[in-house]
Amino acid sequence: QVQLVESGGGLVQPGGSLRLSCVASGSFFSINAMAWYRQAPGKQRELVASITSGVSTNYADSVKGRFTISRDNAKNTVYLHLNSLKPEDTAVYYCNALIRVRSVPYDYWGQGTQVTVSS
């Protein structure tokens, strides 16, 4: 069974930094695109950043220049580096990945990790 497990969330002051990690485990053929989404209270889940298997990246306008997505294919891990954090970045952050199991692609989600930006 394939699982995505996030870690690295927490409470940070405005202007601070965090690094989120998401590890894919289980039996699968390959991982295609990976992404981070977030959902703030009372708001819809939104795409924060994505990275293809060829390491092309895409960012939401609200985080460009502050967040960086990267991946380590050898470790089946995607990272999100959050810098210059603002209170409006407070949300539950979810990892998402398109993973091929026996050559069929499936969409997987992690359980989420809370990021709170507050003084």
Side-chain angles (χ1 to χ4, degrees):
Q1 186 175 0
V2 177
Q3 285 188 317
L4 297 179
V5 179
E6 302 108 332
S7 61
L11 173 64
V12 63
Q13 292 186 341
S17 298
L18 283 174
R19 188 185 78 162
L20 306 183
S21 301
C22 172
V23 181
S25 63
S27 179
F28 51 85
F29 179 70
S30 65
I31 303 175
N32 293 355
M34 304 184 83
W36 288 94
Y37 287 74
R38 68 184 180 187
Q39 187 167 19
K43 294 188 176 181
Q44 289 188 332
R45 190 173 297 189
E46 63 174 355
L47 176 66
V48 176
S50 63
I51 184 167
T52 67
S53 57
V55 300
S56 294
T57 59
N58 181 56
Y59 295 93
D61 288 342
S62 59
V63 306
K64 280 181 181 177
R66 300 188 299 120
F67 292 7
T68 302
I69 189 170
S70 62
R71 62 191 287 174
D72 184 334
N73 291 329
K75 296 181 179 180
N76 297 323
T77 300
V78 62
Y79 304 98
L80 186 66
H81 300 258
L82 298 77
N83 298 313
S84 302
L85 281 161
K86 305 175 181 179
E88 51 263 43
D89 294 318
T90 295
V92 178
Y93 284 70
Y94 296 91
C95 175
N96 170 261
L98 189 64
I99 298 177
R100 287 189 174 273
V101 179
R102 297 191 186 94
S103 80
V104 177
Y106 294 94
D107 201 35
Y108 289 93
W109 291 87
Q111 81 287 353
T113 185
Q114 176 71 46
V115 171
T116 302
V117 184
S118 175
S119 56

